[in-house]
Amino acid sequence: MTSFDVEDALKLRAGKDFEIASLDPTDTPGFDGGKKKLDNALDELADEIGELQEKLFATARVAADGDRAPSVLVVLQGMDTSGKGGAIRHVFSMFDPQGVDTVGFGSPTEEERKHDFLWRIRKHDPEPGRIVAFDRSHYEDVLIQRVHEWVDEEEIDRRFAAIRDYEKELADGGTRIIKVFFHISKEFQKKNLIERVERPDKHWKYDPADVAERGYWDDYMHAYEDAIRRTDEDHAPWFAIPTDNKRYARLVLALLLLNTLRGLDLDWPEADFDPEAELARLKALD
């Protein structure tokens, strides 16, 4: 096992004094090694993570009436091309698909705009026993609106308060929350955008509007920093991960998930039948 472990990942907790300027997106804090070592480290987590997720799902399947199994919500935020989708594909491939959901939030639809900004989010709250990943999230309707000044600061304050209440409500209901900010450099984003144009197999990922949003880079960095400071709580912590090295970011995400699942103290649910009697009955079958 690599020397880079859960404790190293937890050191990336942002906290209420988070300063984005102190986070070098090209760095890999606590990890010394190349691509192969990162890939091996991620592979070594697969068995334990997969087993814990299956225990979580099984616990919900057999929960007694009135009991609620825990659930997990993973919130992924970051600038365009920061690797949110890739992280979900690589890390969540360790899970049984029947116990996992991923939700991507783009621009609100006409119907969604008729409701409060959390209306479309609440429809995807994690059910007991499930792990849900938000690729973008309820934070989009604060970050973008603030950067473009489509709403005033009073409304921004209201939305932050609503987010804090929403996340506390989820936590009180048994959902463990992990919020991750994937931090990339402008240089790395430029490289990724060029690749999306140069490679036909990546054209579908390219949106010319991403170039326009890049012009607001500094405003987005300020908005992210403020959002993290104002909503980092022990029941809904933010982790700021340098992400120019996407393999490193995926490893940190996997370790954060592993830590959360371990903290649930899960075990296989007891059988509601007599295993010895059922085994004898099965062996007696023709």
Side-chain angles (χ1 to χ4, degrees), residues 58 61-65 268-278 281:
R61 287 288 297 270
V62 303
D65 291 342
W268 295 113
E270 293 185 7
D272 58 358
F273 56 86
D274 184 339
E276 292 187 6
E278 289 301 307
R281 190 163 72 97

Side-chain angles (χ1 to χ4, degrees), residues 131-157:
I131 299 176
V132 175
F134 285 174
D135 181 350
R136 302 186 186 274
S137 67
H138 40 296
Y139 286 92
E140 287 296 296
D141 289 302
V142 178
L143 296 163
I144 293 176
Q145 300 271 336
R146 190 176 199 186
V147 165
H148 290 283
E149 299 182 344
W150 292 335
V151 296
D152 60 26
E153 285 299 310
E154 183 178 354
E155 174 62 13
I156 293 297
D157 291 342

Side-chain angles (χ1 to χ4, degrees), residues 6-268:
V6 165
E7 293 304 317
D8 294 294
L10 292 175
K11 291 176 182 177
L12 294 172
R13 169 81 179 266
K16 292 188 176 297
D17 296 322
F18 174 63
E19 294 183 359
I20 205 165
S22 68
L23 188 67
D24 181 354
T26 68
D27 197 9
T28 55
F31 192 91
D32 182 16
K35 294 180 180 179
K36 185 174 182 180
K37 191 174 180 181
L38 283 166
D39 287 341
N40 290 340
L42 186 60
D43 290 342
E44 288 172 1
L45 303 177
D47 287 344
E48 185 179 1
I49 284 183
E51 181 176 326
L52 288 171
Q53 183 257 332
E54 191 172 1
K55 286 180 178 178
L56 175 63
F57 185 69
T59 298
R61 287 288 297 270
V62 303
D65 291 342
D67 291 340
R68 179 185 170 90
S71 58
V72 178
L73 173 63
V74 182
V75 173
L76 300 180
Q77 288 287 156
M79 296 294 285
D80 296 313
T81 83
S82 61
K84 299 179 294 296
I88 290 173
R89 286 194 303 275
H90 283 80
V91 176
F92 280 59
S93 66
M94 302 177 187
F95 297 145
D96 184 336
Q98 67 178 334
V100 175
D101 299 299
T102 61
V103 186
F105 292 100
S107 298
T109 65
E110 183 176 345
E111 174 63 24
E112 289 168 345
R113 290 191 183 97
K114 297 176 182 178
H115 300 271
D116 180 78
F117 78 104
L118 287 175
W119 180 79
R120 65 174 182 157
I121 307 296
R122 288 182 178 276
K123 294 189 291 184
H124 302 284
D125 290 352
E127 295 292 328
R130 303 189 71 81
I131 299 176
V132 175
F134 285 174
D135 181 350
R136 302 186 186 274
S137 67
H138 40 296
Y139 286 92
E140 287 296 296
D141 289 302
V142 178
L143 296 163
I144 293 176
Q145 300 271 336
R146 190 176 199 186
V147 165
H148 290 283
E149 299 182 344
W150 292 335
V151 296
D152 60 26
E153 285 299 310
E154 183 178 354
E155 174 62 13
I156 293 297
D157 291 342
R158 185 195 73 80
R159 293 188 185 191
F160 276 133
I163 285 173
R164 289 191 293 269
D165 290 343
Y166 168 62
E167 292 176 347
K168 185 64 165 60
E169 177 186 325
L170 285 178
D172 288 346
T175 298
R176 300 294 182 93
I177 303 171
I178 307 168
K179 299 183 294 189
V180 173
F181 170 51
F182 282 161
H183 184 37
I184 58 172
S185 65
K186 288 188 75 173
E187 294 74 20
F188 188 63
Q189 189 197 58
K190 179 180 178 180
K191 176 184 175 182
N192 290 332
L193 290 172
I194 289 173
E195 183 181 51
R196 289 182 178 184
V197 174
E198 289 181 336
R199 289 179 50 175
D201 64 320
K202 290 185 178 290
H203 285 175
W204 66 276
K205 289 186 174 184
Y206 184 74
D207 183 349
D210 292 345
V211 178
E213 288 302 298
R214 178 182 165 86
Y216 296 92
W217 188 277
D218 291 342
D219 294 323
Y220 272 110
M221 293 303 102
H222 171 73
Y224 268 113
E225 181 180 87
D226 189 51
I228 290 170
R229 288 179 174 181
R230 294 171 68 170
T231 61
D232 182 283
E233 303 289 348
D234 288 343
H235 61 265
W238 273 105
F239 295 89
I241 305 177
T243 313
D244 277 17
N245 186 327
K246 292 184 178 181
R247 284 178 167 84
Y248 173 81
R250 293 165 188 166
L251 176 59
V252 173
L253 175 60
L255 286 166
L256 294 174
L257 273 162
L258 178 60
N259 177 68
T260 297
L261 291 169
R262 282 176 176 173
L264 295 175
D265 195 24
L266 298 164
D267 204 350
W268 295 113

